[in-house]
Amino acid sequence: MNAHAGEFDHKDTRRFKHTRIGIWDLYEERQTLACKRISSILQTYTPIIYSVPLLVRMLKDVLSIKRCSILLPAYFVVEVLASLIPAVSLWYSGQLLRLVEGVMEARTVDTTVLVHFAAAHVICAVAMRFLKYSRDCMMPRLSLYIKQFYNERMLLSAVRLDLPAFQTLYQLLARIAIILLRLLSCLLVLSTVMWEQQDGLLLVVLSFLQYLLPWDSTGKAVVGSLARYVVWAATTTNENFICMQGLKELITDPSHRREFVAGNFSEHISARFREASQRIGHDAVEFPELNRFRSFKDCLSITFIIREIMHVLPQIVFALRVVKNPMTTPLSLASLILIKQVFDPFSSTDFSTSSMLAGLATQLSITRKVYNMENIRNKVVDGTEPFPENQQSLANGICIEFRNVSFQYPGRDRCALRNVSFKIEAGQLCVVVGVNGSGKSTILNLISRIYDPTEGTILIDDRDIKTLKLADLRAAMSILFQDYSQFPLSMRENIGLGNPALAREDDKVHEAARLGDAEDFIDELPRGFDTYLDCLVYNYHGDLPEGTTTLFGHPVDSSPRNVVGGVHTTGAPGIQISRGQAQRLAILDMDYSNSSRTFMRSLVSETESSAGMLLFDEPSASLDPTAEHGLFERLRKLRGNKTMIFSTHRFGNLTRYANLILYIDETVQEKGTHDELMKKGGEYARIWNLQAKSFIQ
Ligand SMILES: Nc1ncnc2c1ncn2[C@@H]1O[C@H](COP(=O)(O)OP(=O)(O)OP(=O)(O)O)[C@@H](O)[C@H]1O
C-alpha cells in the first residue's frame, strides 16, 4: 500500500535504510556522504535565506515598540563599534610588527611612532570596556521590552509558545552579525598587513578556510549536524518498553494519583516495571542516548579527518617555508602567531558560527510558527448577522432546530451523529439522554458552534446558525460542560467569567456563588473570594537564614524540583490552601464554583438578560442525590422562560419535568415527554425502569 501524501514512508526501502539499534528501528534517508554534506549546508542556510522577510517583519515589529525605536539602533551601533575594535587593534599589531621588522633591519627605533601605537592600543582597550558597559546596560532593557511586547501579542492571538525563543532569536542574530563583521574586518586588516609578507596571504587563506564551512571546531558536532539535518526517524514497537513508559506516566501524572493510591497499585506496578526492564536489559533507554554510542564511530569519517588536516595545514606550510627560506623565520613566526591570535576566538564552541547558524535556524522556525499562528483561519467561519435582533427577546428563550444533521469528528471514520432532526421551542426544557458515546455532548458542541455539522442545518430562532455572529451567539447562551475547567484565577474571577459584563459587581458574584452552593465554602477559604486554588506565581529565593521554614506564607522546600532557572522557588500551584482543604475542595470545587459560574451567566443585569439558552452537559455527574436535586431545583427556578438543554445519562428528576426528551444513539431513537415515552415502552422506558428499580432496591 502506498503511503499518504505527507506521510513518512519508512517502508520505502529504496529511499530509507533500516538499522536496528537495540530496541529501536532507525530509518535514514539513503544519501551519499557528499549529498549529506551538501544537504546539511543547504539545510543550514536555506531557512535563513527564506526567513529574510520574517526577519524584516520582526525588526519592524520590534522597532514599533516605543522604547525600542531608539534603544535597538543604539544597541546595534554599540555592537558594531565593539566588533570593529579588534580589527583596529589588529591593524596596530600589524604596524608594530612592521616596526619590529624595521628595527631588525635598521637597528634604530622611531619613538614617536612607538608611542603613537602604544597609545592607540590603550585607547582601543578603554573604548572596548566602555562599549561593553553600554551594551550590558542596554541588553536587559531591550530583552524586557521585546518580551513584554511578544507576551501581549501571544496572549492576543491566544497562542502559548515558548517565550524565550524571541529573546534568543534577536540575541543570536546580533551575535552572528557581529561575529561575521568581526571576522571580515579582521580578515581585511590581516590581508592588508600580510600583503607584503612572503606566503602571508596563503597562511591567512589556509587559516580562514576551516571557518568557512559550517563545521564545528570539535569535529564531533559535524557528526551531530549530520544526524540533525538528514531525514530520519526512529520508532520502537517493543512492548516491554512501551509498557515501562506507560507505567512511568501512571506513576508521575498526578491525575492518576487518586486511583493509584486507592487501588493499591504500587506493588504490582513495581513488579511489572522490574519485569519489563529485565526483559529488555541494557537497551531500555530512549533513542537519543542509544544513538549517541553509535555516533562515536562517525568520528573517523572522512569529513572529520579533512577537518583535522585543515586545522594543522598552516603549521605545515609554515614548516615548509622555514625549510625553504630560514632567514625570514622570525618574522614568519610572528605572522603565524598574529594569524592564530585573530582566528583563535572564532574556533571556540561559543563563537562557532556553524553551531550558531544551526541555532538560528531552529529559533527562526519557532518564530515563524508564532507569526503563522496569527494567520491561522478558524475552521468555524464567523457569521455576519447580529443576534438576537431584540435583546429583550432572550428572556423568552431561543428556538433551536436540527434538520437532518450529521456530524463526524475530524479524523474519525464513524459518524458521532447521523441524520438527527428535532425542534426545541423557545423556553422549553429539553433533556438529551443516551448511553456513553451516543452523541449527547456532540449535540451541545454543535449548538455552541465548537464544530459545524458535516451535513444538514441548525436553525436558531429560524435563522441558519452559520449566518449569526459567533460572539453574539455565544453571548446568548451559557454552557456548563462536563469537563469545565477551574481557571488559574481567584474564586471571584472564576465565577465572574460566567458573565464578564457583571464580573465586577461583587453582589452578583456572591449571589451566583450562593445559587451554586459555593458561598459558604468559599467564605471559609483563607482569602475568601480572593483565594487562588491554582496559584501559578512562584516566589524566588536564594540562601535563607538558618531554620527558615516559611516564606511569604508558603512552606520552603529546598528540593531540586523547586529550582526554576537555577533559582529556588516557593508557592507551587495550589499552595495557598492547606493540603487538607485542597483535598476537601477537590471534591467540591469543580461542580460548585463552575455551577456558580453558570449561575453568574444566568443572572440578569439591570436592563437586560444576557443569556436566552442554558446548556448543561452532565452537570450532576459527581453530585450526590441531595446536591443534584438542589441544583436542578435552583436552575429550574432561575431559568424563567429561557430554553434549557440538559445532556445526561441519569434519568430522574429532570426528565419528568422536560417538555422534550431526546433518546439518542447516534441518531434520535425516541422523542417525546416522559409520559409519552413511558407509554411507548421502548428503550427509554426500559432504562428508566431499570434505574428506578435499582434505586428502590
Ligand atoms: N473531540 C473528539 N474527537 C473525536 N471523536 C470524538 C470527540 N468527542 C467525542 N468523540 C466521539 O464521538 C462519539 C460521541 O461522543 P459524545 O461525547 O458526543 O458522546 P456522549 O453521549 O456525550 O458520551 P458521554 O456520555 O460518555 O459523555 C463517541 O464515539 C466519541 O468517542
Side-chain angles (χ1 to χ4, degrees):
M1 203 176 71
N2 285 338
H4 297 294
E7 193 178 312
F8 183 89
D9 185 13
H10 66 280
K11 288 186 189 139
D12 183 351
T13 47
R14 270 184 309 168
R15 188 168 172 206
F16 295 109
K17 187 179 116 197
H18 174 223
T19 321
R20 182 100 185 158
I21 309 174
I23 55 167
W24 293 90
D25 293 299
L26 172 68
Y27 298 91
E28 281 174 296
E29 196 165 42
R30 290 180 194 276
Q31 284 174 318
T32 61
L33 197 65
C35 279
K36 279 184 180 183
R37 167 63 38 222
I38 291 165
S39 91
S40 153
I41 295 168
L42 286 179
Q43 297 253 16
T44 308
Y45 292 107
T46 319
I48 295 168
I49 295 165
Y50 277 130
S51 298
V52 171
L54 176 78
L55 292 175
V56 172
R57 189 173 161 193
M58 267 193 77
L59 197 68
K60 274 190 195 159
D61 279 347
V62 173
L63 283 173
S64 72
I65 308 170
K66 213 169 131 206
R67 285 178 284 195
C68 286
S69 56
I70 296 173
L71 200 58
L72 189 68
Y75 170 75
F76 276 116
V77 168
V78 167
E79 282 286 23
V80 167
L81 288 177
S83 65
L84 289 178
I85 285 192
V88 178
S89 259
L90 180 70
W91 192 81
Y92 281 113
S93 296
Q95 295 310 308
L96 271 174
L97 208 65
R98 277 172 173 237
L99 199 70
V100 173
E101 191 183 21
V103 171
M104 279 166 65
E105 275 171 16
R107 302 281 158 194
T108 56
V109 63
D110 182 343
T111 28
T112 330
V113 177
L114 192 66
V115 170
H116 173 85
F117 289 156
H121 254 311
V122 173
I123 291 170
C124 279
V126 173
M128 197 63 189
R129 180 95 303 273
F130 180 72
L131 288 171
K132 271 187 183 160
Y133 171 77
S134 313
R135 187 183 58 192
D136 290 349
C137 286
M138 290 179 193
M139 202 141 75
R141 282 162 205 240
L142 210 52
S143 297
L144 189 74
Y145 300 150
I146 294 176
K147 189 174 165 178
Q148 279 172 348
F149 172 78
Y150 278 104
N151 239 335
E152 236 166 73
R153 190 163 181 151
M154 283 200 290
L155 198 78
L156 287 177
S157 47
V159 178
R160 290 191 60 203
L161 263 186
D162 185 12
L163 193 60
F166 293 102
Q167 287 162 278
T168 323
L169 181 63
Y170 102 82
Q171 277 164 0
L172 253 177
L173 267 177
R175 236 167 110 210
I176 289 175
I178 268 101
I179 286 176
L180 290 180
L181 196 69
R182 199 151 135 192
L183 196 64
L184 289 179
S185 58
C186 286
L187 202 65
L188 204 72
V189 174
L190 201 61
S191 306
T192 321
V193 174
M194 292 289 145
W195 186 254
E196 287 158 23
Q197 306 286 320
Q198 210 182 6
D199 296 335
L201 269 183
L202 181 67
L203 286 178
V204 173
V205 171
L206 284 179
S207 306
F208 181 59
L209 218 61
Q210 52 186 311
Y211 304 103
L212 204 61
L213 292 172
W215 296 353
D216 208 291
S217 55
T218 56
K220 213 169 152 192
V222 174
V223 179
S225 69
L226 277 184
R228 208 166 44 236
Y229 295 124
V230 171
V231 176
W232 67 270
T235 182
T236 179
T237 47
N238 187 291
E239 276 180 24
N240 286 306
F241 189 69
I242 295 169
C243 171
M244 279 169 72
Q245 298 304 94
L247 292 173
K248 264 196 249 173
E249 174 70 14
L250 179 61
I251 294 165
T252 48
D253 188 340
S255 65
H256 306 307
R257 204 74 212 158
R258 201 148 47 124
E259 271 175 272
F260 180 87
V261 175
N264 217 2
F265 295 166
S266 58
E267 210 166 296
H268 169 74
I269 285 181
S270 313
R272 187 71 192 84
F273 192 86
R274 221 176 301 121
E275 183 188 305
S277 165
Q278 275 164 4
R279 276 199 201 141
I280 308 180
H282 294 305
D283 288 339
V285 285
E286 290 292 348
F287 178 72
E289 286 165 61
L290 216 53
N291 193 39
R292 215 169 291 143
F293 293 116
R294 175 180 169 263
S295 62
F296 283 134
K297 77 173 188 329
D298 290 346
C299 288
L300 278 179
S301 69
I302 294 177
T303 335
F304 183 79
I305 293 166
I306 293 175
R307 167 79 178 71
E308 291 297 299
I309 292 174
M310 285 183 79
H311 191 62
V312 292
L313 214 55
Q315 280 102 310
I316 295 173
V317 170
F318 168 72
L320 290 175
R321 165 106 178 70
V322 171
V323 173
K324 215 175 107 198
N325 197 351
M327 287 313 289
T328 53
T329 304
L331 199 57
S332 288
L333 186 61
S335 313
L336 197 67
I337 291 167
L338 194 65
I339 294 170
K340 246 184 106 43
Q341 228 176 26
V342 172
F343 288 117
D344 260 2
F346 299 105
S347 68
S348 79
T349 335
D350 270 5
F351 276 89
S352 156
T353 39
S354 63
S355 64
M356 272 199 288
L357 287 176
L360 180 66
T362 315
Q363 296 300 333
L364 278 173
S365 88
I366 296 172
T367 311
R368 189 175 296 109
K369 273 186 205 150
V370 174
Y371 277 94
N372 284 348
M373 287 279 182
E374 294 184 346
N375 300 331
I376 291 175
R377 295 267 159 272
N378 276 331
K379 284 207 171 143
V380 173
V381 182
D382 202 353
T384 51
E385 295 176 20
F387 179 81
E389 277 164 7
N390 168 15
Q391 195 73 23
Q392 299 297 334
S393 69
L394 283 184
N396 295 321
I398 293 171
C399 167
I400 304 149
E401 185 177 356
F402 273 47
R403 278 194 198 156
N404 307 318
V405 169
S406 296
F407 178 71
Q408 209 169 334
Y409 280 100
R412 280 287 174 107
D413 296 332
R414 244 187 95 218
C415 272
L417 289 178
R418 194 165 34 80
N419 203 20
V420 170
S421 298
F422 61 84
K423 186 167 185 179
I424 306 167
E425 298 294 346
Q428 283 195 334
L429 167 63
C430 168
V431 182
V432 186
V433 289
V435 292
N436 287 122
S438 54
K440 302 182 295 295
S441 306
T442 307
I443 289 185
L444 302 189
N445 285 346
L446 295 179
I447 296 176
S448 49
R449 277 201 84 197
I450 291 171
Y451 296 96
D452 276 336
T454 324
E455 277 172 39
T457 317
I458 298 174
L459 301 169
I460 299 285
D461 279 350
D462 298 323
R463 294 157 71 188
D464 187 339
I465 197 168
K466 290 186 185 170
T467 62
L468 309 179
K469 279 189 184 166
L470 268 173
D472 288 0
L473 178 76
R474 290 180 185 151
M477 59 178 75
S478 169
I479 316 163
L480 176 64
F481 283 119
Q482 211 171 28
D483 48 2
Y484 225 140
S485 49
Q486 182 81 43
F487 300 126
L489 300 169
S490 69
M491 278 291 181
R492 182 191 317 284
E493 278 158 315
N494 259 291
I495 297 172
L497 276 174
N499 191 347
L502 301 179
R504 286 169 200 279
E505 294 184 28
D506 234 22
D507 51 333
K508 298 280 183 200
V509 173
H510 278 262
E511 191 184 338
R514 195 163 44 251
L515 289 165
D517 221 3
E519 195 182 28
D520 286 347
F521 92 83
I522 294 177
D523 275 336
E524 277 173 26
L525 294 174
R527 298 187 58 214
F529 278 76
D530 292 322
T531 306
Y532 276 75
L533 285 184
D534 250 346
C535 168
L536 301 184
V537 180
Y538 292 92
N539 301 312
Y540 295 90
H541 68 89
D543 277 346
L544 294 173
E546 196 67 36
T548 308
T549 52
T550 55
L551 179 72
F552 308 123
H554 301 295
V556 175
D557 179 358
S558 52
S559 61
R561 73 195 152 87
N562 277 9
V563 178
V564 176
V567 185
H568 285 276
T569 62
T570 61
I575 208 79
Q576 289 202 354
I577 51 169
S578 76
R579 287 175 78 96
Q581 284 168 320
Q583 263 172 6
R584 202 153 54 81
L585 287 165
I587 315 158
L588 301 170
D589 66 5
M590 283 302 289
D591 296 302
Y592 282 80
S593 74
N594 288 329
S595 61
S596 301
R597 196 186 300 159
T598 306
F599 278 112
M600 187 72 193
R601 170 57 66 91
S602 318
L603 290 178
V604 178
S605 73
E606 300 305 312
T607 51
E608 61 194 23
S609 157
S610 62
M613 170 162 56
L614 309 173
L615 309 178
F616 298 90
D617 190 2
E618 208 72 70
S620 57
S622 50
L623 293 190
D624 59 51
T626 325
E628 182 193 53
H629 182 77
L631 177 71
F632 289 159
E633 283 305 304
R634 287 192 301 278
L635 281 173
R636 274 198 320 113
K637 277 188 200 138
L638 189 82
R639 88 176 173 104
N641 291 327
K642 290 169 191 173
T643 309
M644 199 181 248
I645 307 177
F646 274 95
S647 130
T648 179
H649 56 245
R650 274 211 242 172
F651 302 10
N653 273 324
L654 210 58
T655 47
R656 269 211 286 229
Y657 293 109
N659 304 99
L660 177 69
I661 298 168
L662 298 171
Y663 176 74
I664 66 159
D665 190 3
E666 208 176 299
T667 185
V668 178
Q669 305 284 353
E670 294 169 30
K671 63 178 164 188
T673 60
H674 173 75
D675 291 342
E676 285 167 357
L677 294 186
M678 289 306 284
K679 218 174 278 169
K680 193 177 167 195
E683 195 60 8
Y684 172 85
R686 190 183 71 80
I687 300 175
W688 167 274
N689 286 326
L690 215 65
Q691 288 194 359
K693 212 159 99 190
S694 68
F695 197 69
I696 292 161
Q697 278 171 357

